[in-house]
Amino acid sequence: MSSIGIDIVALHEVDIQRTILPKFYSKIITTAELSCYDPAAMPLYQYIWLLWSVKEAAYKYASRLQPGLVFSPTRTTVSNISIHATATVGHGPELYNDAITTDVLINGLPLHTHSIITENYIVSIAYTGSFDEVQWAVRHIKDPHPDNQSAMVRQLVINELGNYYPQANNITITKTVDGVPEVVCNDIVKNEMALSFSHHGHYVAYAFVVAPAA
Amino acid sequence: MEELKTILKPYTVDKELLAGINDNTDLIKDLKINSANLVDVIIDAEAKYNVEIDYDSAEEMTNVGSCIDIIMKKLNTVE
């Protein structure tokens, strides 16, 4: 079974002063991860939320394969955090200046992630195959109410799935009891269509696998 | 339960959802609290009750019942 995970953190929604308190970030990152922090690369609060989004994306990837998995930020370890001067990430919306790659270990499962930090958000995608197989996007929405976030991201992903899977009719998105999104076509769950989405504040994001792994 | 509501309220966009909470109410699925705010809930609970909620306990705080159980357990440990 293929899988994918995406997570977005809207930077205007986070409490910067609270984030940099040890009692706060110690529940998100480990001592080893803190020791890898480079102040020249980014502010500490961005580093904390970068690792949060990496770990959330990894959890979403893993929870499709391991139903019932509990999210534990400090037991999900991130290493090899590398910043690349210019890069595109899969079938992303545009060229960004900085893309950050990491290795993640979650419940025994090794994963790779790609992240992008803008002035408005941090978005991370976890995937084990080539990121050329990944279609993803971030959109700004006017109404940040959770019901609207959920409706908007579903509509966006259904529209985009229709472009990649023109043979798929009557697409809907459901969630498993563990909160893992599933693509349903004509009442049949398409497990081969790995999908993940995320929303925070005025931003929604989705990612799905264009060419499912064999 | 009422005290827990005051902790959850800042992170619950739809305040009306708080009126009907019970032990089984899931913080993310039912109250629609963003996962990025779960650490805020834990930190606020620690401050309100002057307890320390360790990593193992924190990851169990997924619904209202488990939040109350863990806070009560920590309070009893302190006493």
Side-chain angles (χ1 to χ4, degrees):
Chain A
M1 182 189 288
S2 182
S3 190
I4 193 164
I6 190 167
D7 187 71
I8 190 163
V9 174
L11 291 173
H12 297 300
E13 299 291 322
V14 306
D15 183 333
I16 294 173
Q17 294 308 315
R18 174 176 260 203
T19 300
I20 59 175
L21 296 174
K23 69 175 180 178
F24 187 92
Y25 66 67
S26 65
K27 298 195 187 312
I28 295 176
I29 68 172
T30 65
T31 307
E33 289 161 351
L34 183 62
S35 70
C36 295
Y37 171 58
D38 175 8
M42 68 187 78
L44 179 59
Y45 84 95
Q46 284 190 7
Y47 183 74
I48 306 295
W49 287 111
L50 167 68
L51 264 61
W52 169 272
S53 73
V54 163
K55 293 178 181 199
E56 272 267 25
Y59 168 70
K60 289 177 181 178
Y61 183 104
S63 61
R64 183 183 294 273
L65 306 179
Q66 302 175 6
L69 182 67
V70 175
F71 181 45
S72 175
T74 51
R75 286 190 192 145
T76 305
T77 55
V78 182
S79 59
N80 292 330
I81 302 164
S82 305
I83 300 177
H84 306 269
T86 56
T88 51
V89 180
H91 297 267
E94 59 190 87
L95 186 72
Y96 287 90
N97 289 330
D98 294 311
I100 298 156
T101 56
T102 79
D103 293 333
V104 186
L105 186 63
I106 178 165
N107 203 32
L109 185 65
L111 298 175
H112 302 295
T113 68
H114 277 65
S115 302
I116 286 164
I117 300 178
T118 76
E119 62 179 314
N120 295 314
Y121 58 79
I122 298 171
V123 62
S124 298
I125 304 168
Y127 189 55
T128 49
S130 165
F131 274 75
D132 289 340
E133 300 169 351
V134 175
Q135 171 69 40
W136 68 279
V138 175
R139 293 284 184 272
H140 179 273
I141 59 170
K142 284 185 179 176
D143 180 2
H145 190 282
D147 291 343
N148 189 54
Q149 291 171 328
S150 184
M152 291 296 288
V153 76
R154 281 171 169 73
Q155 194 55 54
L156 283 167
V157 80
I158 286 170
N159 291 345
E160 196 64 28
L161 277 168
N163 293 332
Y164 280 93
Y165 296 93
Q167 75 282 11
N169 298 314
N170 196 18
I171 299 175
T172 56
I173 307 294
T174 60
K175 277 193 170 183
T176 68
V177 291
D178 293 313
V180 177
E182 294 179 318
V183 179
V184 179
C185 297
N186 292 326
D187 298 326
I188 298 170
V189 175
K190 297 290 189 181
N191 281 324
E192 69 275 22
M193 291 187 186
L195 161 72
S196 181
F197 49 77
S198 178
H199 40 69
H200 191 204
H202 287 276
Y203 289 91
V204 298
Y206 68 80
F208 61 85
V209 180
V210 176
Chain B
M1 185 75 80
E2 292 304 313
E3 290 183 4
L4 185 62
K5 281 184 187 176
T6 65
I7 293 173
L8 299 176
K9 193 173 180 180
Y11 312 110
T12 307
V13 176
D14 196 344
K15 311 294 183 199
E16 291 178 5
L17 293 173
L18 287 167
I21 64 172
N22 57 49
D23 283 354
N24 295 322
T25 303
D26 189 283
L27 303 191
I28 293 176
K29 291 178 195 162
D30 299 322
L31 292 181
K32 297 175 182 173
I33 293 176
N34 194 283
S35 60
N37 288 126
L38 291 183
V39 178
D40 290 302
V41 171
I42 295 161
I43 298 290
D44 289 352
E46 286 184 333
K48 185 175 180 69
Y49 297 104
N50 194 28
V51 295
E52 185 171 341
I53 299 172
D54 55 79
Y55 307 139
D56 289 346
S57 298
E59 65 190 51
E60 293 172 11
M61 292 174 67
T62 56
N63 63 29
V64 167
S66 62
C67 285
I68 293 173
D69 286 348
I70 288 163
I71 292 167
M72 294 299 290
K73 194 172 155 187
K74 298 295 176 188
L75 282 170
N76 290 334
T77 305
V78 169
E79 287 168 2

